[in-house]
Amino acid sequence: DSIGSKAYPYGTPIFVNQISPGEFELKMPESDNWQKLIQGKKFQFGQRLQVGSATIRISNINGRSSEPNKHYFVLNKKEQLVTHYAQNLQVSWVEKGSSMLDLQILTVLPERDLKFMKTYYQVVQEIGMMEKTETLDNTISFIDGQMVAVADSLNYYQELINEIRLDTRKLPAGTDGIFSKLNELDNQKAQILLSERYFDYLLN
């Protein structure tokens, strides 16, 4: 249930030997420091046991007894397990250009590692959704900021155009062409400025 010390015998087989219908003893190599913590002690199935700094609970699910030193468990360090799964898990595309992934793992405990792969898949899905949500939020935030800037620019240029129209009302025919060209250049400038702001945004 919990481990409170780095001195726990990681990687060492700890054997569970039943001595009565409800009791068992733990065995491990005599050279290990933990051996003296469990030597000669009897434990109850299904109860929480305090062994050194660790809390252990062992259940006999089917109620049957077994021959000595047949069942054992090993405690692994998380870092070592991560390395183990990273080396054994293979992720690839189902086919080139596909959006589907193929997960494979070489295992001697299929039931356990199938649970790992299902959990791995769920975590990848959750991270993917978080990234999509973050991207959408950032995009919306950027668009909102640009809307404010565009609105200010529109008001400014509208006032400027009105002033120019007033100043050029006595020009001969053909001023519409000038305004059309000005609008075209303004649009190009706006696109360039928008791209520049977006690249700065991505860089940040």
Side-chain angles (χ1 to χ4, degrees):
D1 289 344
S2 66
I3 304 172
S5 172
K6 294 182 179 178
Y8 197 88
Y10 290 106
T12 302
I14 303 175
F15 292 90
V16 181
N17 293 332
Q18 186 172 356
I19 54 178
S20 73
E23 290 183 321
F24 66 92
E25 62 180 0
L26 297 175
K27 293 277 189 181
M28 59 191 308
E30 293 185 7
S31 59
D32 198 285
N33 293 332
W34 268 57
Q35 196 270 342
K36 55 176 159 286
L37 295 176
I38 59 176
Q39 187 175 17
K41 292 185 178 180
K42 297 179 181 180
F43 305 100
Q44 299 288 322
F45 282 117
Q47 292 185 356
R48 290 166 63 96
L49 323 169
Q50 193 68 36
V51 183
S53 60
T55 304
I56 302 171
R57 177 167 44 211
I58 297 175
S59 299
N60 186 356
I61 296 172
N62 57 29
R64 295 196 300 268
S65 61
S66 66
E67 57 192 84
N69 298 331
K70 181 177 181 181
H71 295 111
Y72 69 91
F73 62 93
V74 175
L75 280 240
N76 298 288
K77 286 187 177 180
K78 183 173 69 174
E79 295 81 5
Q80 293 174 338
L81 282 177
V82 169
T83 301
H84 165 77
Y85 279 110
Q87 290 173 345
N88 287 278
L89 180 65
Q90 296 180 6
V91 183
S92 60
W93 298 109
V94 172
E95 59 182 52
K96 189 174 181 179
S98 170
S99 61
M100 296 177 64
L101 290 175
D102 181 34
L103 273 66
Q104 296 184 22
I105 193 167
L106 186 63
T107 176
V108 294
L109 295 170
E111 185 177 347
R112 181 197 66 183
D113 288 340
L114 181 60
K115 290 180 181 179
F116 160 76
M117 290 181 72
K118 288 180 178 178
T119 304
Y120 178 86
Y121 174 75
Q122 290 172 355
V123 171
V124 170
Q125 265 194 322
E126 290 172 6
I127 292 174
M129 290 300 296
M130 289 171 59
E131 288 178 348
K132 286 181 181 178
T133 302
E134 184 179 0
T135 300
L136 287 172
D137 289 343
N138 289 339
T139 303
I140 291 171
S141 176
F142 176 77
I143 291 173
D144 287 344
Q146 297 311 303
M147 288 292 287
V148 173
V150 168
D152 290 342
S153 297
L154 284 174
N155 291 332
Y156 169 77
Y157 284 114
Q158 185 60 53
E159 292 176 3
L160 191 61
I161 288 172
N162 290 338
E163 292 175 4
I164 292 173
R165 285 185 184 278
L166 288 172
D167 293 340
T168 59
R169 62 185 180 278
K170 295 181 180 178
L171 287 176
T175 55
D176 288 342
I178 295 173
F179 284 118
S180 176
K181 188 63 178 176
L182 282 173
N183 286 334
E184 182 183 340
L185 292 173
D186 279 338
N187 286 334
Q188 292 177 11
K189 180 181 178 182
Q191 287 295 327
I192 293 170
L193 289 174
L194 181 63
S195 296
E196 182 184 24
R197 285 195 294 268
Y198 187 61
F199 291 144
D200 287 341
Y201 173 77
L202 290 178
L203 189 60
N204 291 333

